[in-house]
Amino acid sequence: MRTLISTAFVSLDGVVEAPGGEPGYRNSGWTFKHTEFLPEAFEIKGREQEEAAAMLLGRVSYQAFSPVWPDMADFAGYKAMPKYVVSTSLGEDDLVSNWGRTTILRSLDEVAALKETEGGPIIVHGSASLNQALSDAGLIDRYHLLVFPLLLGAGKRLFSATDKDVQKLKLVEHEAYANGLQKNVFDVIR
């Protein structure tokens, strides 16, 4: 069974929306506008590209990343990696041709089936709505969180407000940095 890893830049109050400057959100670009950049705090991002065997995205994040990431040196490790996009509306004609093999999945059942295949870890970038659905369905195995010392108030959150049973997590890696960022890696306890 493959490990499904959710990776996110998250504010202390749980907001994950538009960390890199995506339009339409009043605090767009909050990750680098308000926190001093320290390269060591982002070491996990490079490690994710080395360790992941596939990437899973929701439609909105795919449409935001696919025009930009294929040509960015910072994300070169993801170019050849198989990508999966969970969408009920995206068609094959909507996929970019310069970012490697991409498969559209139409449901969480298809994500669960993907997890049952052979291969290494699958990493989920962005994709707030997808992350919420995956978490609520019990499909996420690990969280890689870079927590920023910011309170953003409104915005898309990493976790849903669904009333559900307690889900225990085990902290397996953590570090605090001089700029206030915290790296927290949690395994989901089943």
Side-chain angles (χ1 to χ4, degrees):
M1 184 158 162
R2 299 174 83 167
T3 302
L4 188 60
I5 301 168
S6 170
T7 181
F9 292 150
V10 59
S11 68
L12 190 59
D13 57 348
V15 175
V16 293
E17 186 169 0
E22 300 80 358
Y25 175 60
R26 73 188 278 278
N27 289 317
S28 185
W30 52 269
T31 53
F32 300 107
K33 284 183 181 176
H34 306 289
T35 306
E36 176 191 2
F37 178 76
L38 293 177
E40 60 270 23
F42 296 90
E43 170 275 334
I44 194 168
K45 302 321 267 169
R47 190 169 16 127
E48 287 170 349
Q49 287 186 68
E50 294 169 10
E51 294 174 358
M55 186 186 319
L56 181 69
L57 299 163
R59 178 191 54 81
V60 173
S61 291
Y62 176 80
Q63 289 178 319
F65 298 159
S66 65
V68 182
W69 280 23
D71 298 320
M72 289 182 70
D74 287 346
F75 302 111
Y78 290 129
K79 190 162 186 169
M81 183 180 298
K83 281 158 275 311
Y84 299 89
V85 182
V86 181
S87 173
T88 57
S89 61
L90 206 63
E92 294 293 329
D93 292 345
D94 298 315
L95 301 176
V96 299
S97 61
N98 64 335
W99 205 19
R101 182 171 59 98
T102 303
T103 303
I104 299 171
L105 304 178
R106 299 294 182 197
S107 69
L108 293 182
D109 288 340
E110 290 186 33
V111 174
L114 174 65
K115 283 187 62 176
E116 296 294 328
T117 63
E118 294 294 319
I122 304 165
I123 193 123
V124 183
H125 280 280
S127 310
S129 297
L130 177 60
N131 262 296
Q132 291 178 2
L134 292 168
S135 178
D136 288 349
L139 292 173
I140 294 177
D141 301 298
R142 176 173 273 199
Y143 292 94
H144 289 183
L145 305 178
L146 280 180
V147 182
F148 285 71
L150 302 169
L151 300 175
L152 298 175
K156 292 179 185 174
R157 306 239 185 254
L158 181 60
F159 300 103
S160 76
T162 302
D163 186 12
K164 60 184 178 185
D165 292 337
V166 171
Q167 185 174 50
K168 281 190 73 172
L169 305 174
K170 178 182 179 187
L171 184 65
V172 295
E173 183 181 343
H174 63 91
E175 193 158 350
Y177 302 95
N179 62 357
L181 242 76
Q182 295 176 32
K183 172 179 63 181
N184 293 301
V185 177
F186 294 98
D187 280 343
V188 176
I189 305 297
R190 305 241 189 260

